[in-house]
Amino acid sequence: MEKLAGYVEHIIYRNTDNGYTVLNLVSGEDEITCVGIFSDIAEGENIEAEGDYTSHPTYGKQFKVERFEEKAPEDEEAIERYLGSGAIKGIGLALAARIVRRFKEDTFRIIEEEPERLAEIKGISERKAMEIAAQVNEKRDLRQAMIFLQQYGITMNLAVKVYAEYGQEVYGIIKENPYRLADDIAGVGFRTADEIASRVGIRTDSDFRIKSGILYTLLQASAEGHTYLPQEELTKRASNLLEVEPEYIERHYMDLAIERKIIMKQMQEQTQIYAATFYYMEANTATMLRGLNVSYDVPDIEIEQRIRKIEKQTGMTLDEHQVTAVKEAVRNGLLIITGGPGTGKTTTINTIIRYFESEGMDIFLAAPTGRAAKRMSETTGFEARTIHRMLELNGGMEGSAGFERNETNPLETDVIIIDEMSMVDISLMTSLLKAIVAGTRLILVGDVNQLPSVGPGSVLKDIIDSGTCNVVKLTKIFRQASESDIIVNAHKINRGEEVTLDNKSMDFFFLKRYDADVIISVTLQLIKQKLPKFVNATPYDIQVLTPMRKGLLGVERLNGILQQYMNPPEKGKREKEVGSTLFREGDKIMQTRNNYQLEWEIRSKYGLTIDKGTGVFNGDMGVIREINDYTEIVTVEFEEGRMVEYPFKLLEELELAYAITIHKSQGSEYPAVVIPLLSGPAMLMNRNLLYTAVTRARKCVTLVGNDVTFQQMIQNTSQQKRYSGLANRLREQAENL
C-alpha cells in the first residue's frame, strides 16, 4: 500500500449518500486523481492518504484511497489556501489572505485559543470571529473523533454517522457501552457492536452485551417470520449466540421488561417473549381491526336485487358462496375472503366493486407488490396500486417506511379492497390500519394456503384462525377454471391427493429426470427454445422457481449457469463483481429487501421524467441497463419502466433472478414457470411450498426432476412453525368487549 500527501485542489464528483468522491490532489509537483469514500472533506484541506494506484479503462491512472487522515495546514500558503477554499463558511480568498498576513503561521492557534483577536481584521465582527472559531474547532473535533473511531475498526462511512449521532460523547460511549450503536444507528447491528466491544476489551458476560444479544436474537427471529419466541427457545438461541450459560440470559429478562424493550406474555403453559415493537404492532392491529368490524343493517332482498342487476349487466353468474361474500361485504365494515385459484375471487371482487360503485362510493384497490397490483388492475378494470403507494410512502427514516397517510392524515375513501393478503406482514398491516378511519369498509382477499409473508407475522391466517372476524371461504372451482390442469392439480395438491403425471395435459407437464446437470440442461432448453413460442412470451418472462438457495439445484448455482446461457459476456457489455456474484449489463435481477429511500423515475423516450417516487421492495424484479464504473452507479429498469440508480455499495441488495426461490415468487404470476425438483430437507419440501409454486403460472407449469419427490411433497404437511400472536390478541379483544 502506498502513501500520498497533499492538498485537495478540486472535488470533481461527490455522492452525498455514500461519501464516494473523485478529487484532484496536489502532491508536490504532481496532480493526482483520487477516488474513495471521504468524510466531509473540502477543497483546500490537507490530507495524507493510503491506497494503491489503479488504471481505469476510461479515465486512466487513479489513486484508490483505502484510508486517509486530514492534516492541519502548517505553512502560511497552506493555511491561506485552506481558509480561502470555502471549507469555513464566511471566509473567501481575500479575507483568508488578510487573516494569514496578520497572524502568519500562528493563525490556527489564534483561532482556537484567542478567537476574539480575529475581530482585529477589517471585515470580521466579534460574532463572525466566534462563528469561524466554532467551525474550525468542529472540524478539528471531527478529525480527532475519526482517528479515535478508526482504531476500533470503524469504517470512515460509519464513523461519520457515529460522530453525527453522539458528538463529543462518542469517547465515553465507545469505551463504556458500544452496544448503544446497535440501538441508535441505522446500519449497525449487534455483530458490529460486538466486534467493537471486543476491541475495547468489554467482557463477554457484561450486562450490556447480554441485553443487546437478547434483542439481536429477537431481531434475527423476526427475519425468519416470528413476532415472538417462546422463552426456552429464546434462551437457547441467545446462549448459543453469546457463548454464555443459559442462566446469564434468563437473569436479564426482567430488566429488559422493566425497560420496556421486551414484553413477556404468559399464554397457557408458555411464556412468549416479544421485542416490544412487535407486541404493540399485534395489539394495535387487533384493536384497529375490532374498530372497523361494525355491522350495517341492509335487507337481504335489496342486496339480492342489486346482485342480479350486476349479473345481468356483466354476464357474470355468482355461486352461493360468492353471493354470501357480497352480502357480507355490504353488511360489515370488515370482511375476509379466502379461496384457492379458480374459485371465483376475481368475480366476487368485481361484483363487490360494482355494487359499491352503484351506491356512489369511492373505492381504493391495492396489493402488496407491483406485479400483484398490476394483475388486480387487469382483472378488475379499475386502478390498483401497491399498498406502499396508496399510503404515500415518503422514505421515512433511513431503512424504514414513513407514510404520508396515517392516523392524522387518513385515506379518504369509502371502501378499501386488498388482494394477495397472505403476503402482508404485521408491520405493513399496522401502517395500513393506521390510515383507515372507522366507517371505511375494509375487504381483505387472499389464499391462506399459500406461503406466509416474507416479513414477520401470519396476518391473514391469524385473522381467520382467531374466529373473531367475518370470513367467507370460496371452495367451488368454476367450469372454465376446471379445464386448466394448473388449477385442478393445485387443488389436488392442497387436498393431499395424488396428481397424474402422464403429460396429456395442455398446461401441466412433468419431465422425469434424476440427475441435477441433466435437469439444468432440460430447463435451459425449455426457457430458450420450447416455452417462449408455446406461451407467447420472451425467455426473460419465463421464471425458474426452486425450493432452495443452496445445493445442486439451488438459486445460487442455477443463476450462475443460467446467466452464462441467457446473458453471456460480450465485448462492450460492462460487468461488476460483488462478493461471489458477477452482475452484467442485461442481467435479470431482483431486489432482496425493502429500501424505502431509493428513488425511482419513469422517463419518456426523450429522457424526460414523467413520474417519480421512492421505494424499491423485496421481490421487485428488473434488468440491469447500465454499469458506470466512473460514477460507481448501476442503473436498473424495474417493471412499468421505473429506473433506479444503485450506488455500488447498495448492490448487495440485488441478486440475479433467472432463478428465484419459491418464497420470493409470492404474489407474482408468470406466463410459464419451470420448477427443477430433486430432493431437499423435509421441513422445506412440503405441500405448502409446492402449491405456491404451481399457482404462480398463468399458462404453463413444467416440473423437471424426481416424480417421487413431487408425490412426497404433496403428502408432507410439516412446515416451519411460525410464532405469531395476532390471533391471541384478537381473541383477547373479543373477550374484553
Side-chain angles (χ1 to χ4, degrees), residues 78-94:
I79 293 168
E80 185 178 326
R81 188 171 54 236
Y82 174 68
L83 290 176
S85 67
I88 307 296
K89 288 191 186 90
I91 300 183
L93 292 169

Side-chain angles (χ1 to χ4, degrees), residues 2-55:
E2 298 186 51
K3 279 190 178 181
L4 267 186
Y7 70 90
V8 179
E9 189 207 34
H10 176 55
I11 291 176
I12 300 165
Y13 169 81
R14 160 164 280 157
N15 184 323
T16 50
D17 290 338
N18 61 10
Y20 176 77
T21 306
V22 182
L23 55 82
N24 278 350
L25 187 78
V26 174
S27 180
E29 298 292 307
D30 299 323
E31 196 175 297
I32 299 141
T33 302
C34 295
V35 296
I37 304 293
F38 290 86
S39 63
D40 195 27
I41 202 167
E43 291 174 356
E45 290 193 7
N46 289 264
I47 65 167
E48 188 175 273
E50 284 184 52
D52 293 300
Y53 282 99
T54 60
S55 181

Side-chain angles (χ1 to χ4, degrees), residues 45-113:
E45 290 193 7
N46 289 264
I47 65 167
E48 188 175 273
E50 284 184 52
D52 293 300
Y53 282 99
T54 60
S55 181
H56 190 281
T58 311
Y59 305 105
K61 191 178 179 183
Q62 297 178 335
F63 189 75
K64 192 166 187 181
V65 177
E66 291 298 326
R67 63 178 71 89
F68 78 96
E69 227 179 278
E70 291 173 34
K71 295 284 185 186
E74 288 161 3
D75 58 41
E76 288 180 35
E77 187 188 344
I79 293 168
E80 185 178 326
R81 188 171 54 236
Y82 174 68
L83 290 176
S85 67
I88 307 296
K89 288 191 186 90
I91 300 183
L93 292 169
L95 193 51
R98 290 207 295 275
I99 294 169
V100 176
R101 203 158 48 239
R102 179 63 170 268
F103 300 118
K104 303 200 166 27
E105 289 180 8
D106 211 19
T107 296
F108 273 109
R109 189 195 67 75
I110 295 287
I111 292 173
E112 288 172 11
E113 295 175 17

Side-chain angles (χ1 to χ4, degrees), residues 13 46 49 51 76 82 122 133 139 190 193 293 326 339 387 457 516 537 541 573 591:
Y13 169 81
N46 289 264
E76 288 180 35
Y82 174 68
K122 189 184 173 191
K139 285 187 174 287
F190 171 79
N293 200 5
V326 179
I387 298 171
D541 294 326
K573 205 182 259 189
Q591 174 79 9

Side-chain angles (χ1 to χ4, degrees), residues 370-647:
R371 276 179 175 249
K374 189 179 176 190
R375 201 166 78 243
M376 198 180 186
S377 295
E378 289 165 358
T379 56
T380 62
F382 286 76
E383 187 206 0
R385 295 169 286 178
T386 62
I387 298 171
H388 289 87
R389 202 146 188 211
M390 180 175 75
L391 296 178
E392 296 171 27
L393 178 73
N394 62 18
M397 294 294 291
E398 189 170 344
S400 67
F403 295 108
E404 294 290 337
R405 294 291 178 173
N406 50 37
E407 54 271 61
T408 58
N409 180 29
L411 293 163
E412 294 162 24
T413 187
D414 302 303
V415 182
I416 296 170
I417 303 175
I418 308 288
D419 199 9
E420 292 289 357
M421 263 304 297
S422 60
M423 294 185 70
V424 175
D425 63 23
I426 192 67
S427 172
L428 186 56
M429 188 65 179
T430 307
S431 297
L432 171 67
L433 292 171
K434 279 180 182 172
I436 302 175
V437 291
T440 305
R441 281 180 169 84
L442 177 62
I443 298 161
L444 308 174
V445 185
D447 183 349
V448 79
N449 293 306
Q450 279 190 37
L451 291 166
S453 57
V454 175
S458 299
V459 175
L460 180 65
K461 184 176 184 298
D462 279 4
I463 294 173
I464 294 169
D465 288 351
S466 74
T468 62
C469 302
N470 305 293
V471 178
V472 175
K473 293 182 181 175
L474 303 177
T475 52
K476 180 186 170 186
I477 302 176
F478 284 84
R479 189 183 60 79
Q480 195 177 349
S482 69
E483 292 167 11
S484 160
D485 286 319
I486 295 173
I487 289 169
V488 170
N489 288 338
H491 284 277
K492 280 185 176 178
I493 290 166
N494 196 34
R495 291 193 298 265
E497 296 170 11
E498 194 171 319
V499 173
T500 307
L501 305 177
D502 59 7
N503 289 338
K504 290 179 181 172
S505 166
M506 288 304 292
D507 61 4
F508 191 99
F509 304 98
F510 199 108
L511 308 179
K512 295 175 189 177
R513 305 288 187 277
Y514 304 97
D515 176 85
D517 291 339
V518 173
I519 290 170
I520 294 169
S521 174
V522 171
T523 298
L524 271 164
Q525 204 179 12
L526 287 165
I527 298 168
K528 292 194 77 178
Q529 295 157 26
K530 303 276 178 71
L531 288 172
K533 289 178 195 161
F534 188 68
V535 296
N536 191 24
T538 71
Y540 269 45
D541 294 326
I542 293 156
Q543 191 59 53
V544 177
L545 302 180
T546 181
M548 291 167 293
R549 292 199 59 80
K550 307 281 185 190
L552 294 173
L553 293 177
V555 162
E556 289 167 17
R557 181 168 187 249
L558 281 171
N559 272 321
I561 296 168
L562 292 169
Q563 181 191 42
Q564 282 297 101
Y565 289 92
M566 302 278 288
N567 186 32
E570 277 176 32
K571 194 178 178 185
K573 205 182 259 189
R574 284 166 293 194
E575 299 176 346
K576 171 67 184 167
E577 200 162 350
V578 181
S580 59
T581 304
L582 180 72
F583 291 111
R584 185 177 291 135
E585 288 176 338
D587 271 338
K588 182 177 177 180
I589 57 86
M590 172 187 272
Q591 174 79 9
T592 61
R593 66 185 74 151
N594 290 340
N595 186 322
Y596 304 102
Q597 249 68 46
L598 267 175
E599 295 179 353
W600 55 263
E601 60 178 37
I602 297 172
R603 300 167 189 162
S604 71
K605 62 179 177 180
Y606 304 108
L608 300 171
T609 301
I610 53 177
D611 192 10
K612 60 183 179 179
T614 55
V616 183
F617 305 110
N618 192 348
D620 284 358
M621 291 173 79
V623 175
I624 294 176
R625 294 300 179 205
E626 186 189 15
I627 296 174
N628 188 323
D629 290 319
Y630 185 56
T631 58
E632 301 212 336
I633 295 286
V634 171
T635 305
V636 175
E637 181 176 354
F638 287 97
E639 289 176 319
E640 286 143 27
R642 290 178 301 134
M643 307 297 284
V644 178
E645 293 186 345
Y646 284 80

